[in-house]
Every structure is written in C-alpha cells, then in structure tokens.
Amino acid sequence: MEGFEELESSLLTQPWASVCFGEMAFLAKACFRDTGYILLISDLSSVWYESADAEAVGRRSKELNKRLTVHVSSFLHRLRNLMCPLLAGQPNDATSFSCHCTADGLSLHVKSEFSGLPFYWDFHCCPAPVEMVRNAVNSLGREVA
C-alpha cells in the first residue's frame, strides 16, 4: 500500500479549491489513489483532514451502501469522480454535499448514485496535525505567489 507520507505529499501538490458544502464555504484539496485517499478542508479558522486506506474504505462502504457490492477500487474511483469535478469548480447537480462541524471535527456527507443505486459516503475529518497544517499553508503560499 502507498504509505500515508506519499499520499500526503501528493495531496500537498494539489491546488486548493474554493467549495461550498451546504451553506458553508471552505478551501479544500484531495488526493485519491487505488490504495486510499486523503482530504484536507479548511474554513480559514480550522483545518480538518481524513485519510483512509483501501481496507477502511471497504468497511465504510459496506456500512453505508449495503445494496452495492463492488470492489473497493470502484468505490475509490467513484469518490474521485465525485470530488475532483467539485474541486475543479464543476459540481454535479445529481450529487449533494452537506457538512456538520463539531468540536471534535467535521463530517462531510455525500449523496449520489452509483450503477443506478443510491450511493452514500461520509468523510469523518478530524483536526489536522500541526505539521500537516504548516505544509498546507506553505503550499497555499506557493499557489498565491
């Protein structure tokens, strides 16, 4: 499996995107691979992230999508196809995003379709480690310069 460090390094090369989840505005970036994903979200006051390997994606997909029986790589591909257009400023009208902030983190709920069936996903983001925030801020500085 691609290590977390490599996934995080790939994430930092991704541009920040301005996105709205429900009524809330954020900056976000994401990196999806066949081995997992990492997502970074900020409201410029807090920074949250979630990383999940293929095993975690498989477990969560079975919990949230009991009627869908596809390989984990297909779920990761579907998540990439939902998130990347959103981050590129081209949201899909057939997909809805909502979020809920708590003291412990941020939950991002995705509702869409996959192979004609309802598809749900929850990103469970926790506060990002200081080093990750520092690297993310440095990457933002390079984008602005």
Side-chain angles (χ1 to χ4, degrees), residues 83-134:
M83 292 298 293
C84 290
L86 176 74
L87 295 174
Q90 302 165 344
N92 180 340
D93 291 338
T95 303
S96 67
F97 294 88
S98 60
C99 73
H100 180 70
C101 293
T102 66
D104 297 332
L106 178 136
S107 294
L108 176 60
H109 181 71
V110 182
K111 182 179 178 183
S112 187
E113 283 191 2
F114 188 19
S115 299
L117 293 172
F119 175 79
Y120 304 100
W121 192 258
D122 291 329
F123 292 97
H124 302 291
C125 302
C126 62
V130 172
E131 185 66 23
M132 183 184 287
V133 173
R134 183 179 304 119

Side-chain angles (χ1 to χ4, degrees), residues 24-40:
M24 302 172 71
F26 296 93
L27 290 177
K29 56 169 64 188
C31 183
F32 292 88
R33 300 279 191 263
D34 290 339
T35 56
Y37 68 80
I38 186 168
L39 173 70
L40 195 61

Side-chain angles (χ1 to χ4, degrees), residues 30-97:
C31 183
F32 292 88
R33 300 279 191 263
D34 290 339
T35 56
Y37 68 80
I38 186 168
L39 173 70
L40 195 61
I41 301 174
S42 176
D43 64 359
L44 297 182
S45 174
S46 298
V47 181
W48 303 274
Y49 87 105
E50 182 186 42
S51 64
D53 62 14
E55 184 178 325
V57 169
R59 282 192 308 271
R60 192 175 305 163
S61 66
K62 288 177 185 174
E63 293 170 14
L64 296 171
N65 300 286
K66 295 182 188 331
R67 294 174 56 196
L68 286 172
T69 54
V70 297
H71 193 271
V72 171
S73 63
S74 295
F75 275 101
L76 285 162
H77 190 311
R78 180 66 180 148
L79 288 170
R80 177 186 306 125
N81 287 343
L82 293 173
M83 292 298 293
C84 290
L86 176 74
L87 295 174
Q90 302 165 344
N92 180 340
D93 291 338
T95 303
S96 67
F97 294 88

